[in-house]
Amino acid sequence: MFLGYACAAGRALLDVRCGGATTGDILNAGKGTLGLPVPAQVSAVTAATALVTIGIGGNDIGFSGIVSACAQDGLGNPFGTPCRDRYTAGGTDQLQARITATAPKVAAVVQAVRAAAPNARIVVVGYPVIVPDSGYGCWPVVPFAYGDVPYLRTVAKSLNGMLARTATANGAEYADVYTPSIGHDVCRSRSVRWVEGVVPENTAAPFHPNAAGEQGMATAVTARLAA
């Protein structure tokens, strides 16, 4: 996901978000779901752009595949750690390795935006809570094994930590949306959660923010801009 804001005269807004996007989609032209040409998202940024917000990284580490695999693993082994076992087999944490490998890609995105808009304010936006920030989840409603919830929480915090460090190291800002989303995880009631579960009850894709979550994230970004 990438958000390009051109806030010059008239404070025009340009939104070039794309579901399932990776850092490569920001930097390189490609094809959309219908096979039509899609320009590199960074091409929307110009020298007149005053503010750019970037939300990226989750798809680079394989977010959809991770949640799908962990949910399937948890259905068959709710009291174990099948997801953690899957991704740490052989003694190496594959997800932590993916996060580490994604850092230079995020850095390249920030640098490309800076080159296109030298005077813009650039804000890298983190990811909200998915699994609860404490405890062991809510199997089988969200079928992550009890022992895997702490592991997945650590992965989420590691991803956000990488984004924060990379933003700072490359002259950008970081908007923390994880902290304000605590208490709004997938295990909460329909009216409280910001992120939907396996079967969404609010309009959103599974394990993606609903309208309340998008608003909460926007509020967090707005607060960062006002700081």
Side-chain angles (χ1 to χ4, degrees), residues 57-200:
N59 291 318
D60 285 85
I61 71 167
F63 171 78
S64 295
I66 293 166
V67 295
S68 177
C70 292
Q72 288 294 325
D73 289 345
L75 282 172
N77 186 7
F79 298 106
T81 56
C83 177
R84 186 185 68 188
D85 297 344
R86 170 192 290 270
Y87 289 111
T88 60
T92 298
D93 191 320
Q94 300 169 44
L95 300 189
Q96 295 299 330
R98 293 182 193 180
I99 291 169
T100 299
T102 298
K105 299 177 183 179
V106 175
V109 167
V110 175
Q111 292 164 9
V113 171
R114 176 60 68 207
N119 300 312
R121 190 172 181 183
I122 303 172
V123 181
V124 175
V125 182
Y127 288 88
V129 163
I130 297 179
V131 299
D133 190 57
S134 61
Y136 298 93
C138 52
W139 191 96
V141 176
V142 177
F144 297 138
Y146 294 118
D148 282 333
V149 171
Y151 172 68
L152 292 172
R153 182 186 305 130
T154 298
V155 171
K157 290 184 175 183
S158 180
L159 175 60
N160 279 326
M162 179 275 287
L163 293 172
R165 292 189 300 274
T166 303
T168 300
N170 289 276
E173 302 173 58
Y174 175 72
D176 172 22
V177 301
Y178 185 96
T179 300
S181 68
I182 293 173
H184 299 280
D185 54 78
V186 291
C187 290
R188 305 292 172 164
S189 66
R190 176 179 181 178
S191 63
V192 174
R193 74 172 72 103
W194 284 10
V195 176
E196 295 299 307
V198 176
V199 181

Side-chain angles (χ1 to χ4, degrees), residues 195-218:
V195 176
E196 295 299 307
V198 176
V199 181
E201 294 182 89
N202 297 296
T203 302
F207 298 105
H208 282 70
N210 55 33
E214 294 284 1
Q215 181 59 63
M217 293 170 67

